[in-house]
Amino acid sequence: MTVESTAARKPRRSSGTKRATGADARKSAAATQSAEPQLVQLLTPEGDRVEDATSSEFAPYVADITADDLRGLYRDMVLTRRFDSEATALQRQGELGLWASLLGQEAAQIGSARALRDDDYIFPTYREHGVAWCRGVDPTNLLGMFRGVNHGGWDPTTNNFHLYTIVIGSQTLHATGYAMGITKDGADSAVIAYFGDGASSQGDVSEAFTFSAVYNAPVVFFCQNNQWAISEPTERQMRVPLYQRAAGFGFPGVRVDGNDVLACLAVTRWALERARNGEGPTLVEAFTYRMGAHTTSDDPTRYRADEERAAWEHKDPIERLKAHLLASGHADDAFFAELETESETLGKRVREVVRAMPDPDTMAIFENVYADGHALVDEERAQFAAYLASFEGGN
Amino acid sequence: MAIEKMSIAKALNESLRKALDTDPKVLIMGEDVGKLGGVFRITDGLQKDFGEERVIDTPLAESGIVGTAIGLALRGYRPVVEIQFDGFVFPAYDQIVTQLAKMHARALGKIKMPVVVRIPYGGAIGAVEHHSESPEALFAHVAGLKVVSPSNASDAYWMLQQAIQSDDPVIFFEPKRRYWDKGEVDVEAIPGELHKSRVAQAGTDLTLAAYGPMVKLCLEAAKVAAEEGKSIEVVDLRSMSPVDFDGIQASVEKTRRLVVVHEAPVFLGVGSEIAARITERCFYHLEAPVLRVGGFHSPYPPARLEDEYLPGLDRVLDAVDRSLAY
């Protein structure tokens, strides 16, 4: 599989990518992209296995997936969505200052994350709750930064899952540097960097592409193109399909149905295999849709049409796998009922842990500013401690 | 004792060589640092001796250089990156400020960021725009960063190694106009603390505080002043974050007068902070307000005007006179 073979595949219109935009934008887009590029899909929205030329290229990468594995992927997606909806509710109840929902992107995250080995390193943005779940990061730890008690409540080195990065695209360079280090170490681990369609406009992402290409770094750039960067549509970010950008940097890019967990798993495994084989970086564009707001602070009804969301609802990643599990007889009612119970238990635990989360100690302001200490921090810590102490027993 | 006389440039080169030799995790990264040996030849010969995997020529992308250095540090390496000139650091400023500086705190101390960013800085070399600036205050203002600048060959040699050994990110400003100044380096000495100031010359009437390229100027000013019967103490700050306020305070308690000199614009510069803090600490010792000498609130001018823009002997001596006149 090469850039050429990916790019040369016959275009196939993928449904649901059209949206109401200005006529000019549509016209100019048409000039640079004659038709919507095809995307790798292994499960249709109805849950049927796809068998065409493209899928046959990637299907071998999931040939080993058993019914048990499929149920596992389904469970991951359901629990991640349950966690996400609980966090959204907690934000509405004032328990979190903000929440960035992953609703609709479960397949992209679970599919890609389940392709990774334990020794692979992950650089997320701030919406990769499903990836964190797959890495064994306790989901309640993800909520600390949104509640405002820390900037990331987990040790990145424990699960090889880096802290969330808020500045858009910065982490793609960290991922590239880390991958360069892997090469220097002579290891066969790989790195995956998550980012969104909006981040593709950032200079850092282009620089990460450049560095990873020239140093042949074992990094997979996993872009979840969820169609919207807050209120800016993809038309405001790019004039050619995103995955094609990789070609200009000298490595392959592929567009995958981001709502198809099986296809995401297959494509990420393929990209990771390339990385491990010393074939360098890959860009995976998971074509998906953010069903909710960018964060709880914005209101998507102000900037996008209801019909668009409705069109994507039909392609829901969880319903798709459920249909497949049912049609293939890989799961029965008891499985779904048990999972429902597990979901509720998770939601309850998240709720309880968040509400019990203590505020950090005041003096934490001065902790971990420097590894080796700093005279000014020491001075200000002492002054502030004395100031606070002056209230005790005083008038 | 193993004293060698060498230029600041050579001292930096020897320092990098020693760091590469001592610790296999140390990497040099930057534009033209390999075959060319850097535009100022600070990395001369290092790639030849340590290979392309240790001394890495990078794409021409400053954010990429610092951003990938952060990733390498996360993997356990200790990158020393070179920014070719002061004015070119700004494309990397985002990575330095939002990522490099904050990663340790963000990770509640679980992550260390042993990255050194070397920046040849300052003017007086007749360069074109963006090649003569002194942006140290912009970095000193950012918690999480340490900012230092050597003024002589011995400090160049030792401070750079100490910066590389530090688990904190260090912005290492090299006074490019002094690269060719020679001095004695004791390569077997036990160096002083990285962030402690140094009395470059003792005196009793007034303290001149400076760092990097301005230390030599202040020593010259002290010499001229001595001919006029004035005893000037020169304190080489060496570190802009943290600033050794104790060291300056000790000097000012003795001399009772302070003039801070730097090339950077005076407004909100490192000198402003020193003036404020020393006024707090030494209010009853001071015989005159703390004065500052530095650049103007203007873009760095074309080279034909830089002699007027930069503090020179006369402007320093004028400030000394004004302080002593109180």
Side-chain angles (χ1 to χ4, degrees):
Chain A
M1 253 153 287
T2 62
V3 178
E4 288 72 29
S5 71
T6 306
R9 283 180 201 132
K10 208 175 168 190
R12 181 180 70 185
R13 175 164 291 282
S14 74
S15 57
T17 60
K18 287 186 291 183
R19 77 167 58 84
T21 57
D24 287 349
R26 274 205 300 279
K27 235 181 274 173
S28 59
T32 47
Q33 50 190 106
S34 55
E36 275 300 325
Q38 75 177 122
L39 74 184
V40 180
Q41 190 182 65
L42 298 180
L43 280 180
T44 66
E46 292 73 32
D48 300 324
R49 281 298 297 263
V50 177
E51 288 179 19
D52 64 10
T54 310
S55 70
S56 69
E57 283 181 61
F58 288 95
Y61 287 89
V62 288
D64 62 322
I65 293 296
T66 64
D68 202 32
D69 294 331
L70 285 175
R71 286 193 298 274
L73 293 168
Y74 182 79
R75 176 178 173 273
D76 288 337
M77 290 198 291
V78 167
L79 293 179
T80 299
R81 180 172 290 186
R82 183 66 186 85
F83 162 71
D84 186 77
S85 66
E86 190 63 39
T88 301
L90 285 163
Q91 196 280 333
R92 295 301 184 220
Q93 292 160 15
E95 299 287 349
L96 300 176
L98 184 78
W99 182 244
S101 167
L102 67 22
L103 186 63
Q105 298 176 226
E106 295 87 352
Q109 295 192 15
I110 303 298
S112 58
R114 285 299 179 202
L116 298 162
R117 287 194 328 217
D118 285 350
D119 62 333
D120 294 335
Y121 208 96
I122 296 142
F123 287 87
T125 161
Y126 44 77
R127 202 189 296 281
E128 270 65 70
H129 321 312
V131 183
W133 168 266
C134 293
R135 295 307 278 190
V137 176
D138 188 318
T140 60
N141 283 348
L142 302 173
L143 299 172
M145 70 184 299
F146 293 99
R147 189 171 170 84
V149 302
N150 57 40
H151 297 312
W154 61 95
D155 181 346
T157 58
T158 304
N159 306 290
N160 282 2
F161 184 76
H162 192 67
L163 297 168
Y164 279 1
T165 299
I166 292 177
V167 177
I168 304 298
S170 289
Q171 76 282 2
T172 57
L173 280 169
H174 309 161
T176 300
Y178 194 96
M180 288 161 65
I182 287 175
T183 305
K184 288 185 184 304
D185 293 343
D188 75 339
S189 316
V191 175
I192 188 165
Y194 289 89
F195 60 104
D197 43 299
S200 72
S201 300
Q202 289 280 355
D204 275 3
V205 173
S206 287
E207 294 192 20
F209 288 176
T210 297
F211 275 69
S212 64
V214 302
Y215 297 119
N216 207 41
V219 57
V220 176
F221 296 106
F222 194 91
C223 175
Q224 291 168 82
N225 178 356
N226 69 12
Q227 313 301 323
W228 292 91
I230 308 190
S231 70
E232 304 289 356
T234 53
E235 285 85 355
R236 283 283 178 210
Q237 311 293 340
M238 63 207 67
R239 294 284 291 274
V240 295
L242 237 173
Y243 77 95
Q244 290 179 6
R245 198 170 293 181
F249 290 89
F251 55 86
V254 58
R255 178 179 275 190
V256 60
D257 184 338
N259 287 16
D260 174 353
V261 72
L262 211 52
C264 288
L265 178 63
V267 167
T268 311
R269 280 181 167 182
W270 161 73
L272 288 165
E273 185 178 279
R274 293 190 70 260
R276 296 191 209 292
N277 289 343
E279 294 172 72
T282 306
L283 171 61
V284 176
E285 178 191 3
F287 205 73
T288 182
Y289 192 74
R290 172 196 4 116
M291 296 299 286
H294 165 71
T295 69
T296 44
S297 292
D298 70 305
D299 173 10
T301 65
R302 291 174 72 103
Y303 55 80
R304 67 186 190 190
D306 292 344
E307 303 82 59
E308 181 184 287
R309 191 184 190 280
W312 278 90
E313 264 169 14
H314 168 62
K315 295 189 281 189
D316 185 86
I318 294 181
E319 290 307 314
R320 179 180 313 205
L321 186 53
K322 185 174 188 178
H324 181 71
L325 286 170
L326 286 168
S328 59
H330 288 330
D332 55 16
D333 289 346
F335 167 75
F336 294 109
E338 198 178 318
L339 189 53
E340 180 61 26
T341 307
E342 194 181 357
S343 291
E344 284 315 306
T345 306
L346 175 67
K348 187 166 180 285
R349 183 168 76 85
V350 168
R351 203 156 55 240
E352 286 169 359
V353 171
V354 166
R355 286 181 174 155
M357 214 174 258
D359 284 351
D361 182 78
T362 304
M363 299 313 282
I365 291 168
F366 304 98
E367 299 306 315
N368 302 310
V369 185
Y370 293 89
D372 297 341
H374 189 284
L376 179 62
V377 176
D378 294 343
E379 184 184 318
E380 292 185 347
R381 180 197 288 116
Q383 285 171 351
F384 195 57
Y387 169 73
L388 293 179
S390 72
F391 289 98
E392 291 168 15
N395 292 323
Chain B
M1 295 277 278
I3 291 177
E4 296 172 31
K5 192 157 187 178
M6 61 180 88
S7 66
I8 287 180
K10 179 67 174 167
L12 293 166
N13 178 268
E14 289 293 328
S15 187
L16 289 171
R17 175 177 294 278
K18 187 170 178 196
L20 285 164
D21 212 26
T22 309
D23 184 351
K25 293 295 186 184
V26 170
L27 305 171
I28 310 289
M29 299 170 68
E31 296 158 16
D32 306 307
V33 297
K35 281 201 175 72
L36 180 65
V39 293
F40 290 106
R41 309 291 184 269
I42 305 301
T43 56
D44 191 29
L46 298 179
Q47 190 183 66
K48 182 170 156 286
D49 293 341
F50 294 94
E52 293 180 11
E53 289 298 313
R54 303 283 310 280
V55 182
I56 306 165
D57 272 325
T58 64
L60 210 149
E62 283 79 8
S63 189
I65 293 169
V66 173
T68 53
I70 290 169
L72 282 156
L74 290 169
R75 182 73 191 179
Y77 288 87
R78 304 184 88 85
V80 183
V81 308
E82 177 176 296
I83 300 294
Q84 217 158 47
F85 283 91
D86 35 64
F88 303 163
V89 74
F90 296 108
Y93 195 66
D94 167 41
Q95 282 286 344
I96 293 172
V97 171
T98 70
Q99 308 300 317
L100 185 62
K102 295 186 169 74
M103 200 73 85
H104 180 69
R106 186 179 294 148
L108 300 173
K110 307 287 187 196
I111 288 174
K112 294 189 167 86
M113 275 288 122
V115 177
V116 175
V117 181
R118 292 181 38 241
I119 308 175
Y121 83 121
I125 63 164
V128 295
E129 197 184 7
H130 311 305
H131 288 68
S132 305
E133 298 176 10
S134 299
E136 61 271 16
L138 296 172
F139 295 90
H141 192 65
V142 178
L145 301 176
K146 289 180 173 172
V147 183
V148 301
S149 179
S151 70
N152 59 73
S154 178
D155 273 354
Y157 182 81
W158 286 113
M159 286 170 70
L160 183 51
Q161 283 180 67
Q162 291 170 311
I164 294 169
Q165 284 157 13
S166 170
D167 282 332
D168 288 313
V170 180
I171 313 298
F172 194 90
F173 281 103
E174 298 173 2
K176 70 169 95 80
R177 71 153 103 167
R178 307 290 186 213
Y179 269 149
W180 302 279
D181 284 6
K182 286 191 174 176
E184 289 184 344
V185 179
D186 182 349
V187 295
E188 289 172 4
I190 296 166
E193 287 180 49
L194 179 58
H195 302 290
K196 283 274 180 264
S197 63
R198 173 181 75 94
V199 176
Q201 180 181 298
T204 53
D205 296 339
L206 179 145
T207 300
L208 281 174
Y211 51 86
M214 290 291 95
V215 173
K216 186 178 182 183
L217 178 71
C218 288
L219 288 169
E220 287 167 3
K223 201 173 164 188
V224 174
E227 290 164 11
E228 298 167 2
K230 298 163 192 159
S231 172
I232 307 293
E233 179 145 305
V234 178
V235 175
D236 179 357
L237 296 178
R238 301 172 76 248
S239 176
M240 280 75 79
S241 179
V243 171
D244 178 18
F245 290 110
D246 292 345
I248 309 170
Q249 181 177 352
S251 178
V252 171
E253 284 179 1
K254 185 171 70 168
T255 66
R256 297 176 174 259
R257 296 172 203 273
L258 175 64
V259 176
V260 189
V261 183
H262 52 57
E263 289 191 13
V266 165
F267 181 69
L268 292 179
V270 171
S272 305
E273 181 62 32
I274 291 170
R277 294 225 176 221
I278 291 301
T279 302
E280 263 186 73
R281 286 178 175 228
C282 305
F283 189 70
Y284 294 107
H285 287 91
L286 285 166
E287 296 287 350
V290 179
L291 300 181
R292 292 162 290 158
V293 181
F296 304 114
H297 193 59
S298 74
Y300 193 89
R304 296 280 178 177
L305 287 175
E306 69 180 339
D307 284 349
E308 282 69 39
Y309 174 89
L310 292 167
L313 205 50
D314 287 340
R315 277 174 56 198
V316 175
L317 289 168
D318 176 65
V320 167
D321 290 346
R322 280 190 287 132
S323 177
L324 288 168
Y326 275 92

